[in-house]
Amino acid sequence: MRYWYKSFEILKIKHNYIYYKTPTNLTYWWNFGVLSLYFLMIQILTGVILAMFYDPSILYAFSSIMYINNEIYYCWWIRSLHANGASFFFLCVYFHMFRGLYYGSFLYPRQLLWKSGVILFLLMIITAFLGYVLPWGQMSFWAAMVITSLISSIPLVGSDIVFLLWGGFTIEDATLHRFYALHFFLPFILLFLTIIHISLLHESGSTNPLGIPSIYEIIPFTPYFILKDALSVIIFLILILYINFSFPDILGHTINYQMANFLVTPPHIVPDDTYYSFMQYYVQ
């Protein structure tokens, strides 16, 4: 007990998470930050399990996904939780960012807090894109082809960067190995930056719906907002479990269950109707 009261690390944890003072008028809009952290932990845990069975090779990547889905007990559920959890993760982050924009959470003295959040969001996009390529289905391959080819528009060095990402002159084994390594590594960077993000929040304090500094109307974070956050986590957990058990592929695309083929473009990927109208007018 003496160690609990005297240790610097324990005192810091107690100050930041137990005795941390928050405004009394925080609404459920402020819960999406905790929900984002919750889904980040789900992504890391399920991703580590899936990494034990995945083979980052253009010959066996798709087969390893089918093996995970069909042969390993309950691994279809873990993979669905990982895939659907990514969508829920982004949904919570979008709400979290919308709340910050609406209530002016990016203003003084929280500029560093907002900038760290933007960096986190950009890393999330990169990590999600890398993970989308790994199943090596039709949508995965062509998404990798289109997105990485966009980098070639950078003057002078664009093509060199693309070849560096590909590990050659086309998307091949080296590309998949690089994407797999980065996709496994970046979530831990995200977790580290999230800790920094939370530390910056505790330095400047939380905003509130009124948008004015709250000095006297404050209460401890624990137990009041811990219970409020727990309610949000339970609701979202029930929702994602319902989707995971009832409609596990509703947030995905059926064409991604076809193995990648660089000779065949997915049939629904066609130019816009305005393009056809323009070409017909131009030809006439």
Side-chain angles (χ1 to χ4, degrees):
M1 292 299 293
R2 181 176 299 177
Y3 177 79
W4 169 260
Y5 287 108
K6 299 297 183 181
S7 171
F8 174 75
E9 292 80 6
I10 297 301
L11 288 174
K12 191 172 182 179
I13 292 174
K14 290 168 66 177
H15 172 72
N16 286 334
Y17 299 101
I18 299 179
Y19 302 132
Y20 172 63
K21 303 298 183 181
T22 55
T24 59
N25 57 343
L26 296 187
T27 63
Y28 280 100
W29 282 108
W30 270 257
N31 289 29
F32 286 101
V34 171
L35 285 169
S36 301
L37 177 60
Y38 169 73
F39 280 108
L40 174 60
M41 297 305 300
I42 287 180
Q43 293 304 102
I44 291 176
L45 291 175
T46 55
V48 168
I49 295 173
L50 293 174
M52 300 175 185
F53 305 101
Y54 179 75
D55 186 353
S57 165
I58 61 173
L59 294 178
Y60 302 109
F62 185 80
S63 300
S64 65
I65 295 296
M66 295 300 103
Y67 178 75
I68 288 171
N69 276 349
N70 302 323
E71 300 296 333
I72 304 172
Y73 288 122
Y74 299 109
C75 226
W76 67 269
W77 182 81
I78 295 176
R79 180 177 176 267
S80 297
L81 184 61
H82 190 72
N84 295 327
S87 300
F88 274 80
F89 187 17
F90 271 93
L91 179 66
C92 292
V93 170
Y94 289 148
F95 279 120
H96 186 57
M97 294 177 67
F98 171 77
R99 190 269 306 164
L101 288 169
Y102 186 80
Y103 289 106
S105 298
F106 53 88
L107 300 175
Y108 177 85
R110 300 177 181 86
Q111 297 95 321
L112 280 178
L113 178 64
W114 179 260
K115 291 175 182 177
S116 66
V118 171
I119 295 172
L120 277 168
F121 181 59
L122 294 177
L123 280 178
M124 278 179 56
I125 294 174
I126 296 172
T127 307
F129 163 69
L130 296 174
Y132 189 75
V133 176
L134 296 184
W136 204 242
Q138 275 286 72
M139 293 299 293
S140 298
F141 173 80
W142 289 104
M145 179 65 72
V146 172
I147 299 301
T148 54
S149 297
L150 290 174
I151 303 175
S152 63
S153 61
I154 300 175
L156 300 178
V157 297
S159 298
D160 294 330
I161 296 175
V162 172
F163 293 150
L164 179 64
L165 284 174
W166 287 354
F169 295 99
T170 185
I171 296 177
E172 51 185 352
D173 266 352
T175 312
L176 208 56
H177 278 85
R178 293 169 189 220
F179 282 20
Y180 175 61
L182 289 173
H183 183 67
F184 188 89
F185 175 71
L186 286 180
F188 296 98
I189 302 297
L190 278 173
L191 183 60
F192 175 73
L193 291 177
T194 300
I195 295 173
I196 296 177
H197 188 68
I198 296 173
S199 300
L200 291 172
L201 169 65
H202 290 179
E203 287 290 330
S204 56
S206 300
T207 55
N208 62 84
L210 296 179
I212 57 177
S214 181
I215 301 174
Y216 301 106
E217 295 294 327
I218 55 177
I219 55 176
F221 183 78
T222 304
Y224 302 102
F225 289 105
I226 284 287
L227 296 175
K228 199 171 185 179
D229 289 336
L231 176 61
S232 299
V233 168
I234 291 172
I235 292 174
F236 269 76
L237 180 62
I238 293 173
L239 181 60
I240 192 173
L241 289 179
Y242 173 72
I243 291 177
N244 217 41
F245 284 114
S246 302
F247 314 100
D249 297 317
I250 193 172
L251 301 178
H253 206 293
T254 55
I255 295 181
N256 218 33
Y257 280 97
Q258 300 175 11
M259 188 174 178
N261 185 352
F262 68 94
L263 296 175
V264 179
T265 307
H268 71 283
I269 299 179
V270 295
D272 190 14
D273 291 338
T274 55
Y275 172 80
Y276 285 118
S277 301
F278 172 78
M279 289 303 296
Q280 290 175 0
Y281 175 80
Y282 182 77
V283 170
Q284 291 175 358

